Amino acid sequence: MHKVKVQLRNCYGIRSLDTEFDFSSQSANLIYAPNGTMKTSFARTFKDVTENKQSVDRVYPDRKTTRTIVDENDIDLSPEEVFVVEPYDSMYESSRVSTLLANKELKDEYEEILRSIEQKSEELTKELAKTSGIRSDIEEIVSKTFAKVPGKLFRAYERIKKEVLEDPDDTSLKSIKYNSIFSERIEKFISESEIQELLREYTTKYDELLSGSRFLRKGVFNHYQASEIAKQLKNHGYFKADHALTLNSDAGETKVESVEELTNLIEEEMSAILSDETLKASFNKIEKQLTTKELRDFREFLLENQTLIPKLRNPELLKEDLLKSYLREHREMFKSLMEKYDADKSRLEEITKAASDQATKWQETINIFNRRFSVPFQVEIENKEDVILKQVTPNIRFLFQDESENPKPLERDALLNVLSHGERRALYLLNIIFEIQARIDEAIPTLFIFDDIADSFDYKNKYAIVEYISDVLEQGAFRQIILTHNYDFYRTVWNRLGLSGTNLHVTKSPNGIELKHETMYRNPFEKWKSEMNSEEGTDALIAMIPFVRNLSEFCGYGDEFSTLTSLLHRKSDSDTITVRQVLNIFTNILNEQEFRCEFDDDDPLIPIIIGTAKTIANSGETELDLGKKIVLSIGIRLLAEKLMINAIDDHAFVDSIRKNQTAKLVKRFKEISERNEHYKQYVNLMERVSLMTPENIHLNSFMYEPILDMSSEHLSHLYIELDSAIQNV
C-alpha cells in the first residue's frame, strides 16, 4: 500500500474531497484539521469501510453520497486493511486480544492431549446421560457435587475414582433416574424442616422394623441385596443343580430350594415391614404434603420406592451415591478415561507451568502500556495459562495505587469511576494497543486512521502516544493517517516522526475541503524573518509585532515594549507610530538584523495593519496561515477598540488603563449601551471580539496554539462585521 486515493461526496458533512495520500517516502500522513472542518466525518467514512457499510450524509440524506477509497492499483481497500482509532470509546474491546498467544508448539501439544482426553470424556458423558436421564449439564452436576465448584470435572472424578472402581454396586439405586428426586422443586421440598422431621420419624420406624426382620439387616443385607442374590442364583442355575439355601433367623434355620421360594420370602419380609400401621401412618404424613403436580409425581415415585425414603434424610449423600452408581454402570469406560488422564496429567501440568512462566506477546503488550503511560493503575492478567493454551479472552485485572497505599484490585467499572477523563482514555488506549500488537503479530497490512488520539491527555502521556505511534511506523506493512485539531500535538508529531512533506492542513470552502501541504515552518518566527524582505513582507512585519513585543518585555526594553503595545491596542500615540520606528525596534531587539518592507519609512503603521487585515478578510482564504490569522486578530482588536473608545468618549478613563485593555473597554461599553440604544446592537459583536482575540496573539499563549485552532473563516467574518459597524457608527 504505497498510495491511498480518496474521493468523497456528501459523506457525513464532507461535501467534496479529492486527495491522494502518498506513503512511498513516509509511512504516515499528518493532518491538522481544526474542529468542525473534517476530522470526525473523515474518520467515520473510513469506519464504514471497516464495517462494510455505505456512507451517508445524515443531515442531508437526499444528497447523493459517493465514496471511493482505493490503493495505487485502484483496488478498493478491504475492511481488514483499515483500522480507525476514535478519540474515545468506553465500550471498545479489541476482538484480537485472545490471538496474542505464546509458543505454538506448546499450545498444539496441549490441545492434542486435551483432545484425546475429551474424546473419551464425551463418550462417557453420553452414556451417563442415558443412564441418569439427565438431559444436559451432567458434567457440571458431577463437578459441583464432588468438586463443589463448576468446571472441575476431572477434579471431581479424581476424588471418587477409587470408590467407583473398587466399591460394589448399590443395586438399590440402579433404576433410579436423577430427576425423579433432584428437580429444583423436589429438592426444596425435601429440605424443608417440617419434611425433614417427617422423614426422620419414618426412618426411625423403618430401621426399627428392619432390625426385627427375620432375614434382613440394616446396612448389611437389605431387600435389594437379597433380590440381587435371587437373580444371580437363578441366572447361574443354582437351584436347577439341586442345591439348597439356608437362611438363619432367631426362629431357627429356613431351608430354601427354589428361586420362587426365595423371592416369596423376601417379598413377605418387605411386605410385613411396609404394611406396618405405624410406618404407613408416617408415610401418609409425608404424602399429605405432596400437593402440586410435580410433587404428586414424586408421591408415585415414593410409593414404588419406599425403601429410598430413609436416604432422603441426607439428600447430598444420596445425590453422590446416585451419580457414583451411574458411573459404576460404565465402570470400564470410566477406568479407561482415568487411566488416560493420569498418564497425561503430569505433562499437562508441565506445559501449563511453562506457559505461565513464558513472556507472552500478550504480556509484552501489557508491558508496553505499563511502561509508557503514566496512570494510577497497573494492568495484569489472571488467567494467563488459559489465554495461552485455550485461546480464551484474558481476564484483565486492574491494580489501583495512590501515593501511600499498597495496590488494590478493582473491577473495570469501579476503576472507571475513580479515573480522570484522560486516565479513562488511557484505559481505552490499552485495547487499541492490543489490536495493533495483534495486527503486528499476524502481519496484517493496515491503514490506521488516528482521530485525535491524544485529546485530553496530559503532556507526558501525549509524548508517550507519539513515541508509540513512531514504533508502529517501523512495521513495514503499516500506514497511518494521523488527524488532530491540536496544533501543539501536530507540531510534536511532525518533529518527532520527521514527517516533512507528508504533513497537511485542511482548507474548507462551501464546495468542500482540500488538503494542502504545510506552508509554515516548524518555527514560524524563522519563516517571518525570512519573509520580511520578500513580497509577503507586510504579513510578516505585522505578525512579528506581538512576538518582538514579548521579547522586549522579557529583555527589559520598556520603551520598545510600550511602542509595540500601542500597535496592538488603541493608545494615544497609536496613529503616530511609523514603519521606521517598528523596523528600528526589530533591528534593536533581534540582534541588529536589518529589515525592510515595501512601505515608506514615514508611513504610519496602523492604516497598513487595518488595510492588510481587510484584504485578508475579503480574500476568502481558509488555509492555515498563522501570519494571516495574527494580522486579522490585530486588525479586529484595533477596529473594536476604536469603536468602543469613540462610544465611551472618556480619554482620561482610556489613558488610565494599564492592562487587559480590551476587556475593560468591553465592560465600560456595555454600561454605555444601557443608556444609548444605538450601541446596544454592537454589544454581542464586542463580546465575540473579547472571546476570539483575548491574549491569543501574544507569544506566551502556548506558542500561538489558540489562534491556530481558531477558524480563519470565523476571524474573517468577524473582521468584516466590525468594518461595517465602524462605517455605521
Side-chain angles (χ1 to χ4, degrees), residues 38-69:
M38 57 85 77
K39 279 190 304 79
T40 303
S41 300
F42 185 85
R44 189 174 293 157
T45 302
F46 274 82
K47 188 73 175 288
D48 287 344
V49 174
T50 70
E51 297 174 354
N52 210 13
K53 289 169 49 178
Q54 292 294 322
S55 298
V56 296
D57 192 314
R58 289 178 177 170
V59 179
Y60 301 100
D62 294 336
R63 290 177 179 171
K64 182 181 178 181
T65 295
T66 59
R67 180 189 76 207
T68 302
I69 301 176

Side-chain angles (χ1 to χ4, degrees), residues 379-540:
V379 185
E380 294 182 350
I381 189 165
E382 292 183 310
N383 58 337
K384 188 182 297 184
E385 298 92 343
D386 287 346
V387 172
I388 296 167
L389 300 173
K390 298 181 183 178
Q391 203 164 347
V392 300
T393 300
N395 292 331
I396 295 174
R397 180 171 180 248
F398 302 101
L399 297 176
F400 185 87
Q401 185 171 20
D402 63 13
E403 294 80 4
S404 58
E405 297 294 329
N406 292 325
K408 181 177 180 179
L410 287 179
E411 294 294 328
R412 184 176 183 275
D413 289 344
L415 179 67
L416 286 172
N417 287 333
V418 300
L419 296 180
S420 69
H421 185 60
E423 290 164 349
R424 288 191 208 118
R425 292 171 68 92
L427 188 58
Y428 158 67
L429 194 60
L430 172 63
N431 269 286
I432 299 300
I433 294 173
F434 277 136
E435 176 74 26
I436 293 174
Q437 294 303 121
R439 286 174 177 264
I440 292 173
D441 188 49
E442 297 178 56
I444 300 173
T446 304
L447 172 63
F448 289 97
I449 310 295
F450 290 109
D451 178 14
D452 259 336
I453 189 174
D455 198 30
S456 296
F457 283 121
D458 58 26
Y459 274 92
K460 182 177 180 180
N461 284 329
K462 278 184 181 179
Y463 294 141
I465 291 170
V466 174
E467 291 303 317
Y468 181 66
I469 289 175
S470 178
D471 290 347
V472 173
L473 278 180
E474 295 178 6
Q475 306 301 319
F478 286 175
R479 302 291 183 260
Q480 299 177 10
I481 297 176
I482 306 166
L483 303 107
T484 180
H485 79 283
N486 184 301
Y487 196 82
D488 180 64
F489 182 72
Y490 169 82
R491 183 167 43 204
T492 301
V493 174
W494 175 10
N495 285 330
R496 295 202 175 193
L497 273 61
L499 296 182
S500 291
T502 60
N503 50 319
L504 313 163
H505 58 82
V506 177
T507 64
K508 186 176 182 181
S509 71
N511 297 322
I513 59 173
E514 292 182 58
L515 298 182
K516 295 191 176 182
H517 286 280
E518 175 64 54
T519 57
M520 292 168 47
Y521 298 162
R522 286 185 178 87
N523 184 342
F525 313 119
E526 289 292 334
K527 177 176 186 286
W528 294 336
K529 283 171 63 178
S530 68
E531 288 178 351
M532 279 289 290
N533 299 320
S534 70
E535 292 181 358
E536 298 178 349
T538 304
D539 290 354

Side-chain angles (χ1 to χ4, degrees), residues 539-555:
D539 290 354
L541 169 67
I542 301 169
M544 290 274 282
I545 291 172
F547 170 49
V548 179
R549 171 182 176 269
N550 283 128
L551 290 179
S552 302
E553 181 182 22
F554 297 152
C555 297

Side-chain angles (χ1 to χ4, degrees), residues 239-331:
F239 292 109
K240 286 183 179 181
D242 294 328
H243 295 303
L245 193 67
T246 300
L247 300 178
N248 294 320
S249 68
D250 293 342
E253 295 180 350
T254 301
K255 188 177 181 180
V256 179
E257 295 180 337
S258 69
V259 171
E260 291 77 13
E261 191 178 346
L262 178 58
T263 301
N264 289 336
L265 282 173
I266 295 168
E267 293 302 326
E268 286 173 6
E269 283 295 304
M270 285 308 301
S271 179
I273 292 172
L274 296 176
S275 62
D276 179 84
E277 293 299 326
T278 306
L279 189 67
K280 287 168 67 177
S282 290
F283 181 82
N284 289 337
K285 291 179 183 178
I286 297 171
E287 185 183 27
K288 287 180 181 179
Q289 302 296 322
L290 303 168
T291 55
T292 66
K293 180 185 183 304
E294 187 176 8
L295 292 179
R296 284 197 295 273
D297 292 342
F298 184 52
R299 171 188 174 279
E300 297 302 318
F301 170 80
L302 291 181
L303 282 172
E304 296 294 325
N305 300 276
Q306 291 188 46
T307 55
L308 274 181
I309 293 176
K311 293 180 179 290
L312 297 177
R313 287 274 291 135
N314 190 338
E316 287 303 312
L317 180 59
L318 175 57
K319 185 182 293 185
E320 291 186 9
D321 289 342
L322 260 181
L323 293 172
K324 283 187 281 188
S325 75
Y326 302 146
L327 285 165
R328 290 192 191 101
E329 284 283 301
H330 309 285
R331 187 181 269 115

